[in-house]
Amino acid sequence: MATKTYIVAENWGKGFIEHSESAKFTISGLPGNVWQVPANNKDANLWIAKVLGTVKTKAEAQAIVDAEVQAAQAAWDALPAEQQAESSRPADITLEE
């Protein structure tokens, strides 16, 4: 049984995640406006409804994250060596169950 729910929702800034919400459950942001919250959690489900989140399967969420990471990696690869030395290449991200 899955312990995480993945959603896609546009972060509008202040008020997107309230302190009271983050005190009740863990919200993790990922590339591509993908958010990870606990599955089958009343407070998380209320937050998903508030932000008009679209629930995605783990595979769908992974594909979105992979596309964003690959684009960031390609942009980093295109940088001159001097600029690459100032930062590290974006790492691959594997979603949890």
Side-chain angles (χ1 to χ4, degrees), residues 33-90:
N33 285 314
V34 174
W35 301 89
Q36 179 189 67
V37 297
N40 305 315
N41 180 293
K42 176 185 167 190
D43 295 313
N45 289 339
L46 290 171
W47 179 78
I48 293 168
K50 178 188 103 171
V51 301
L52 304 177
T54 303
V55 175
K56 300 291 184 182
T57 65
K58 181 183 173 208
E60 291 170 331
Q62 185 70 63
I64 294 166
V65 170
D66 286 347
E68 290 291 321
V69 169
Q70 289 167 0
Q73 289 172 338
W76 188 88
D77 291 343
L79 292 173
E82 304 81 40
Q83 286 182 300
Q84 286 181 352
E86 297 171 2
S87 63
S88 58
R89 188 173 193 264

